[in-house]
Each structure stands twice: as structure tokens, then as C-alpha cells.
Amino acid sequence: MRVKQADDSPIRVYVVFGNPRALFGGPGRIVFYSVGNEEPDGYAASSHVSGRIHIGAILVIGCSATPPTAPDAAPIDPGTLPAAGTPVKGRIAGAGGHQGAGAVSLTVVDGQALLEFGADFGVSGVPGPFVYVNTTNNANTGTPLRVAALQRNSGAQRYAFQVPVGVSYTWVLVWCDPFNTPVAEASIAATP
């Protein structure tokens, strides 16, 4: 069997043909195929029992994508935020085939921001969800800012952070970073 030193495939699928018991040391014949960006590599184990071949399994071993390259926001203590400021508000909606709902508000004053999800907030559970503010509804375009990891999939939550001067955000996003895909989004009025 050939072992690769590096794997740049975004999706790696292993197809196993043979008697499933052979996977655990039993008799039978197993054929593994690895499918990625290149031609399939195969490995066939010798057989103690010839005859019927059963499809044992199709396993997705790992999927990955490059997460957005947005800068991380610097968190701040919510108690230090100025009292003045008018929040811009929106409603979360699901994106990319995921579920999402609830109220969101963003208040920006003198380079400091407070992002709040309402008690009715909820999104689909995904691995590695992050909160972004952006000028588009895509964390890979516009002027995205990665606020923080999503605290939980539902309920009220607050994020206080610094924002760059001169950027007017019009979107709040929940993004699945490991798969670089949208989970939920809210259009908001442009921040001051």
C-alpha cells in the first residue's frame, strides 16, 4: 500500500468492497479505493475465501475546506461600552440549507461594537460555528470580521468587540468555518 506524504483533497472517500467481517480479521477479500483530486489509489488484500463479494461500506473519512481569512475581532469588556448608540436590527434566517431564526442587533460607537442575539435566536448545529459581521452575506468576500466562536446554538447571547474605523457593516453571519459554508445570516441597516 502506498502512503501519501500530503493530502490536498478537500474530500476523501474510502470505498470498501468485500466481506465486512474481513475488516475485523475474519476471512474474505477486501478492496480499498481512495478517491480524491487524483486518480484512485487501490489496495487489495489477499483472500482466504473466494467467491461472493459484498459491498462492505462507503465511509466519508474526512472533509475539510479552507476557512475564511477574515481578521479576528479584539474582544472588549461589555461593561466598558458607551451607553449611547442606536442599534441596527435584523432577523436571522437560515442559509446554505441550514435553519436559523431570531432577532439580532448591532450597536457601534467609537470603534466599539455590541452584537446581541435575542432569546428567540436559534441555528442548526454544525461543527465550528463562528459569528461574523460583514459588508456582504459571504464571509469570503467584502470586509468580513470574525467576531468569535458562536457561544451556543440557541438563546440570548452578547459579543462585545472592537471594529475597524470607517467600515459600515450590513450583515451578521453565522458561518461553519471547518467547511467554509454559511449557516445563518441577517441583513441589517448600515452601521454608523
Side-chain angles (χ1 to χ4, degrees), residues 23-68:
L23 289 170
F24 305 101
R29 178 187 173 126
I30 300 295
V31 179
F32 294 85
Y33 281 98
S34 170
V35 181
N37 287 345
E38 300 175 1
E39 293 296 320
D41 297 328
Y43 168 72
S46 57
S47 173
H48 298 302
V49 177
S50 60
R52 296 183 300 224
I53 293 181
H54 307 279
I55 295 178
I58 297 178
L59 305 171
V60 175
I61 298 300
C63 296
S64 63
T66 303

Side-chain angles (χ1 to χ4, degrees), residues 71-77 111 113 145-147 160-163:
D72 292 328
I76 58 173
D77 179 4
L145 182 65
R146 183 182 295 111
V147 174
F161 54 99
Q162 293 178 350
V163 293

Side-chain angles (χ1 to χ4, degrees), residues 1-2 10 17-18 23 54 58 70 104 108 119 129 168 173 186:
M1 178 166 60
R2 186 171 72 105
F17 294 97
L23 289 170
H54 307 279
I58 297 178
V104 63
V108 177
S168 290
L173 310 172

Side-chain angles (χ1 to χ4, degrees), residues 123-141:
V123 294
S124 300
V126 298
F130 276 81
V131 177
Y132 287 81
V133 291
N134 200 0
T135 56
T136 72
N137 69 339
N138 184 329
N140 297 293
T141 63

Side-chain angles (χ1 to χ4, degrees), residues 95-177:
H98 297 281
Q99 301 295 315
V104 63
S105 69
L106 178 62
T107 306
V108 177
V109 177
D110 297 328
Q112 296 181 331
L114 178 63
L115 177 64
E116 297 179 282
F117 291 113
D120 61 344
F121 168 77
V123 294
S124 300
V126 298
F130 276 81
V131 177
Y132 287 81
V133 291
N134 200 0
T135 56
T136 72
N137 69 339
N138 184 329
N140 297 293
T141 63
T143 311
L145 182 65
R146 183 182 295 111
V147 174
L150 185 68
Q151 295 168 0
R152 57 190 166 279
N153 291 342
S154 63
Q157 42 200 293
R158 296 168 49 124
Y159 303 86
F161 54 99
Q162 293 178 350
V163 293
V165 176
V167 179
S168 290
Y169 294 106
T170 55
W171 289 91
V172 175
L173 310 172
V174 177
W175 203 265
C176 174
D177 272 14

